[in-house]
Amino acid sequence: MSVIPVNENNFEREIINADLPVLADFYADWCGPCRMLRPTLEAIAADRSDVKVAAVNIDENPDLADEFDISSIPCVILFKNGAEADRSIGLVPREALEDMLG
Amino acid sequence: MTDIIIIGAGPAGLTAAIYARRAAKSVLVLEAKSYGGQIINTPDIENYPVAAHISGFDFATKVYEQAKALGAVFKFEKAVGLRDNGDTKTVITAKNEYEAKAVIIATGSENRKLGVEGEDKLVGRGISYCATCDGAFFRKKDVAVVGGGNTAIEDALYLADVADKVYLVHRRDAFRGEEAGVAKLRERDNVEFVLNSVVTKLNADRRLQSVEVTDRQGNVRVLEVSGLFVAVGRVPENQNFASLIELDSAGYAVAAEDCLTGTAGVFVAGDNRRKEVHQLVTATADGAVAATEAVKYLNA
């Protein structure tokens, strides 16, 4: 799979109601560490069929960022059964995100 | 065995890789996170010669690609130790050991934390170490900046344009940072100085709600802020190598402009070296010097 763009309209369908655990990357285009992290997320999306990877642009979806109390990006939130299970802030290596998935 | 191992793929380490490869030495770069170092947090670099404007991300990517095209090998592992075997050195990572004839330590520095309870949990939920990175989340909100150096002053000026109100909390009544910046802050109606005061408590539910500060007389005041920007300096990342390099009281590697350490074949470059000016251009300069010295050492 590839990284799925998510916005306020499809957030519920793609993340809250997803069958698989979702890694949702809250990012912005102007954020350097976010751009650095993107290849890692793409690699996870490509390699793992048991996880869905989504990306939420916080400039286009500020209400979602606010709803999840986000004040630093990149912020990758792990959703399981529609609820936040864990989150990772800042540029992290792939293992850190894999560890979060358990 | 590799000729030169470079620890850290920030501007200093990447430049060292370029110079070492151009001198035909084999190069392995070990990096804990991702290439680029802290410069990737800078949206717009305006003081690097030739490029009037370039993002930190683009700068880092260009230098990384340049080093890679020249044949530097990259492994993304954190170096946790360094051993001196005389003619060779062993760099220890979490999973592996790598041997080289020379090592350049270019690990840079990280943000100093405030050390107030709950700080770690609130990072990304109101607490930030980078105003230009996270300021946008505090549009029309009230924030505080802690610190008295140039970074704190620049952060407060930046945030004064974004936030509704900015408190600048500093433990002394005089600033180490440039007077021009302080003067600009004094002209801003929405900036309030909270001097001779330290942050003593963070109040939060799911995110930061307010910050308690205490002054020298013991008076406590609560600042209703949703953001706290910590700008109390940086910590050089030299601890894992302290057995082979001399560190000063602040943790910086003691080495002159030639980047030589007390251990033959071990060099330091960039922000983790003690020097007057920690800038992008001096980091890349260190990389060039350290690599040149390492090549000289290998060819001797």
Side-chain angles (χ1 to χ4, degrees), chain B residues 156-177:
Chain B
L157 274 171
Y158 176 83
L159 290 165
D161 285 334
V162 176
D164 231 24
K165 163 115 190 177
V166 179
Y167 298 94
L168 179 54
V169 181
H170 181 35
R171 64 192 159 125
R172 303 186 207 286
D173 57 5
F175 289 92
R176 289 189 315 281

Side-chain angles (χ1 to χ4, degrees), chain B residues 54-280:
Chain B
I54 183 168
S55 76
F57 174 83
D58 288 338
F59 179 91
T61 303
K62 277 174 195 269
V63 189
Y64 170 69
E65 280 168 0
Q66 191 177 353
K68 227 177 155 174
L70 285 166
V73 175
F74 288 81
K75 286 191 193 286
F76 292 93
E77 296 178 41
K78 184 177 172 68
V80 294
L82 175 60
R83 207 163 51 227
D84 183 17
N85 319 309
D87 286 347
T88 68
K89 322 287 166 199
T90 305
V91 180
I92 301 147
T93 69
K95 289 179 187 152
N96 294 299
E97 295 198 349
Y98 299 97
E99 226 172 313
K101 294 172 191 162
V103 171
I104 297 171
I105 302 169
T107 40
S109 62
E110 59 186 350
N111 296 308
R112 185 183 299 283
K113 301 205 160 162
L114 263 188
V116 178
E117 197 183 333
E119 181 176 5
D120 285 347
K121 278 193 194 151
L122 290 169
V123 173
R125 291 174 182 270
I127 291 192
S128 171
Y129 302 87
C130 177
T132 53
C133 308
D134 301 330
F137 289 99
F138 300 93
R139 195 151 279 133
K140 305 276 170 219
K141 295 182 176 165
D142 292 358
V143 300
V145 175
V146 194
N150 278 328
T151 305
I153 292 162
E154 283 164 18
D155 283 0
L157 274 171
Y158 176 83
L159 290 165
D161 285 334
V162 176
D164 231 24
K165 163 115 190 177
V166 179
Y167 298 94
L168 179 54
V169 181
H170 181 35
R171 64 192 159 125
R172 303 186 207 286
D173 57 5
F175 289 92
R176 289 189 315 281
E178 281 172 33
E179 189 46 49
V182 179
K184 273 190 213 160
L185 278 177
R186 286 191 204 285
E187 287 169 16
R188 306 298 291 257
D189 293 335
N190 64 337
V191 175
E192 182 181 336
F193 291 77
V194 182
L195 302 177
N196 294 312
S197 298
V198 293
V199 174
T200 39
K201 194 161 175 248
L202 306 169
N203 299 315
D205 45 24
R206 292 198 320 157
R207 61 169 92 180
L208 186 71
Q209 299 292 343
S210 65
V211 167
E212 180 194 280
V213 295
T214 305
D215 72 11
R216 292 201 174 167
Q217 284 74 43
N219 301 313
V220 173
R221 179 177 172 196
V222 174
L223 307 175
E224 305 285 339
V225 293
S226 53
L228 179 67
F229 288 84
V230 180
V232 293
R234 301 190 62 84
V235 182
E237 300 192 67
N238 289 322
Q239 293 79 3
N240 292 341
F241 320 105
S243 61
L244 294 185
I245 57 176
E246 185 194 339
L247 306 183
D248 70 9
S249 58
Y252 287 93
V254 179
E257 291 300 314
D258 58 14
C259 299
L260 266 60
T261 70
T263 303
V266 176
F267 307 84
V268 287
D271 277 359
N272 52 313
R273 183 172 77 83
R274 183 173 74 185
K275 53 182 172 177
E276 284 299 313
V277 183
H278 287 111
Q279 284 285 308
L280 180 57

Side-chain angles (χ1 to χ4, degrees), chain A residues 1-97:
Chain A
M1 276 196 292
S2 53
V3 177
I4 302 158
V6 167
N7 56 40
E8 275 149 22
N9 298 322
N10 65 355
F11 187 83
E12 183 136 328
R13 186 179 75 230
E14 296 289 353
I15 294 180
I16 301 300
N17 297 331
D19 297 329
L20 295 171
V22 185
L23 281 179
D25 171 32
F26 290 78
Y27 76 99
D29 292 331
W30 45 263
C31 159
C34 301
R35 293 170 74 184
M36 281 289 177
L37 187 64
R38 183 47 77 90
T40 304
L41 292 159
E42 281 168 356
I44 293 174
D47 295 348
R48 292 189 59 154
S49 54
D50 59 335
V51 179
K52 195 165 160 180
V53 184
V56 183
N57 184 312
I58 58 104
D59 286 330
E60 290 162 9
N61 305 281
D63 291 347
L64 284 177
D66 195 53
E67 186 182 334
F68 291 96
D69 306 304
I70 293 167
S71 78
S72 274
I73 48 171
C75 176
V76 180
I77 301 185
L78 171 64
F79 288 92
K80 282 184 179 168
N81 303 316
E84 175 174 346
D86 205 349
R87 70 168 65 187
S88 160
I89 293 150
L91 182 60
V92 292
R94 177 169 175 165
E95 291 136 51
L97 296 178

